[in-house]
Amino acid sequence: MDFNLTEEQIMIRDAARDFAQNELLPGVIERDEKQEFPTEQIKKMGELGFLGMMVDPNYGGSGLDTVSYVLAMEEISKIDASASVVMSVNNSLVCWGLETYGTEEQKQKYLVPLATGEIIGAFCLSEPEAGSDATSQKTTAIDKGDYYLVNGTKNWITNGNNASIYVVIAQTHTEKGHKGINALIIEKGMEGFVVGPKENKLGIRGSDTHSLMFTDVKVPKENRIGEDGFGFKFAMKTLAGGRIGIASQALGIASGAYELALKYSKERKAFGKEISKHQAIAFKLADMATQIEAARHLCIKAAWDKDQKKDYDLSGAMAKLYAAEMAMQVTIEAVQIHGGYGFVKEYHVERLMRDAKITQIYEGTSEIQKIVISRSILSD
């Protein structure tokens, strides 16, 4: 057992850290305030290979392992979770699904520009009445011979307005239940496809979250991913990897808040000494550091499982559950350590606390992770 990172992994982590500090930190408070999508920063992330990290270089990707992806996600998320969610969705939910299950034609047409960051993608599963219960798809894709006719609404879609292609999960054979669901690639601009208004969110406010409406959208048969009826299985397999991305996002949010709290505690004085020298604060920092380290190991273990071609449903769910709950707890404590300064925007920790909350909700709530974990441990 070797806990050392490879030279390449360290290089990727350091490159992500430098990018976050130099490119994402300037203006991060203003982007949050104005709900401004980090367009230029995402473009640069694409140029550096952060939007197709695990994609085969033959398709324009960086060809890196999942561990490197986790390390980069943590560093980006320390500074700007609105940028890291774009990175997570593009890598885990869109690129991975296309590379794993797409046809060669789909890969050449869509995966190459996605992996190079020329365009970004969106993953469309959630609906007004189908959140955690993903089998209750009301969006329909009726088979019309050489095309599908898509009708319905998707909501909470990350990259909703800025994406160029959308992987949409829809019901084709209602009588077959979840075995009648398909995954379709829908392009922005297809007739009948409308992007709804932007959501005004608590956190990750720089990210682009919209509802999407489909009215008699004609989608060519060649845009279906996998066999007829493969859509639900595709969504679940894709989300299993997505959980590793969001777990590492939660880890980054927490470690970013912890680093700020640690620094502040060594500078702020109360009762004649730095507050870090008061046991009440020192013990908070000890708990935070321990929880972050535990989450980091869970994230890297899930990534390692994926790289080793082992089953990562359980390890990914454990990483997502623990990292998300930990991030919420650690960011609250980071605000507390800052006292009144933690309550104002210029000290960053209040934003990280707001950003942490979504990690307990999207790509499978904490409650759903417990269902996945409990089913796994009770199945023997």
Side-chain angles (χ1 to χ4, degrees):
M1 187 180 290
D2 186 1
F3 284 93
N4 292 309
L5 299 174
T6 66
E7 280 185 27
E8 184 178 58
Q9 288 164 347
I10 292 167
M11 185 181 74
I12 296 299
R13 183 197 64 193
D14 292 349
R17 183 178 295 165
D18 289 346
F19 178 81
Q21 290 291 336
N22 298 326
E23 301 289 345
L24 291 174
L25 186 57
V28 67
I29 293 171
E30 291 74 17
R31 291 195 301 275
D32 171 78
E33 189 91 34
K34 296 174 185 174
Q35 302 186 74
E36 196 176 284
F37 188 79
T39 306
E40 285 305 309
Q41 292 82 356
I42 296 300
K43 188 180 173 188
K44 287 178 183 173
M45 285 169 75
E47 290 165 1
L48 289 168
F50 287 127
L51 297 183
M53 290 188 72
M54 297 165 287
V55 175
D56 188 312
N58 291 326
Y59 298 110
S62 302
L64 297 165
D65 61 4
T66 315
V67 172
S68 297
Y69 170 56
V70 164
L71 297 170
M73 274 293 297
E74 179 184 355
E75 293 302 329
I76 299 294
S77 303
K78 283 180 183 181
I79 304 298
D80 189 354
S82 294
S84 71
V85 72
V86 177
M87 177 175 163
S88 181
V89 167
N90 209 69
N91 276 286
S92 297
L93 301 186
V94 185
C95 285
W96 183 85
L98 275 171
E99 184 171 23
T100 308
Y101 299 110
T103 63
E104 185 60 29
E105 186 187 8
Q106 288 168 351
K107 289 177 190 178
Q108 294 295 344
K109 187 176 180 182
Y110 300 116
L111 181 59
V112 172
L114 284 164
T116 57
E118 184 186 327
I119 61 171
I120 57 172
F123 182 82
C124 311
L125 176 65
S126 292
E127 296 183 359
E129 293 177 46
S132 291
D133 181 8
T135 58
S136 299
Q137 294 292 307
K138 297 289 188 285
T139 298
T140 56
I142 305 304
D143 192 335
K144 293 289 186 181
D146 58 350
Y147 67 91
Y148 289 99
L149 199 63
V150 178
N151 283 279
T153 301
K154 295 291 181 180
N155 65 350
W156 318 127
I157 305 304
T158 300
N159 301 339
N161 191 46
N162 280 279
S164 296
I165 72 131
Y166 301 76
V167 177
V168 178
I169 311 301
Q171 184 77 48
T172 298
H173 312 284
T174 313
E175 71 283 359
K176 293 183 182 177
H178 72 274
K179 291 182 179 175
I181 291 172
N182 278 314
L184 305 174
I185 301 166
I186 295 183
E187 296 177 25
K188 193 173 194 176
M190 280 185 171
E191 194 176 341
F193 172 25
V194 175
V195 177
K198 188 173 185 172
E199 301 290 352
N200 186 359
K201 306 189 300 290
L202 170 75
I204 55 166
R205 287 170 59 81
S207 75
D208 192 22
T209 310
H210 292 256
S211 290
L212 309 176
M213 281 74 80
F214 304 95
T215 307
D216 290 340
V217 180
K218 289 184 179 180
V219 182
K221 270 280 174 69
E222 59 263 28
N223 282 30
R224 186 185 71 208
I225 301 172
E227 297 299 312
D228 186 30
F230 181 65
F232 183 74
K233 191 174 180 183
F234 168 83
M236 293 304 102
K237 288 302 294 179
T238 303
L239 283 171
R243 285 173 190 144
I244 299 173
I246 299 305
S248 47
Q249 180 188 46
L251 168 64
I253 292 168
S255 54
Y258 162 74
E259 287 173 9
L260 289 167
L262 181 67
K263 182 173 181 286
Y264 180 83
S265 74
K266 292 174 179 177
E267 295 167 353
R268 176 72 170 172
K269 289 186 177 178
F271 304 104
K273 57 184 175 182
E274 293 85 0
I275 62 170
S276 61
K277 292 180 179 170
H278 292 285
Q279 194 178 71
I281 301 300
F283 277 17
K284 282 185 191 296
L285 292 164
D287 285 339
M288 292 158 81
T290 304
Q291 290 163 352
I292 288 165
E293 189 66 8
R296 187 175 289 118
H297 283 289
L298 282 168
C299 289
I300 289 175
K301 171 59 166 62
W304 183 84
D305 283 345
K306 189 166 183 282
D307 289 334
Q308 298 299 315
K309 306 287 189 284
K310 294 174 181 281
D311 189 292
Y312 52 90
D313 287 356
L314 177 61
S315 55
M318 284 180 166
K320 164 82 162 64
L321 171 65
Y322 185 79
E325 298 299 309
M326 176 278 298
M328 199 69 246
Q329 200 174 334
V330 164
T331 53
I332 287 170
E333 289 288 49
V335 171
Q336 192 69 17
I337 288 169
H338 280 76
Y341 292 101
F343 208 67
V344 297
K345 294 186 183 294
E346 67 182 282
Y347 281 78
H348 297 286
V349 286
E350 64 82 32
R351 184 185 74 258
L352 292 165
M353 183 181 77
R354 288 186 286 107
D355 289 345
K357 184 61 202 169
I358 192 60
T359 66
Q360 296 176 304
I361 298 171
Y362 61 10
E363 294 193 34
T365 62
S366 290
E367 291 73 21
I368 290 294
Q369 305 315 315
K370 289 180 182 180
I371 291 174
V372 172
I373 294 163
S374 58
R375 278 181 184 163
S376 179
I377 62 178
L378 295 169
S379 63
D380 297 333

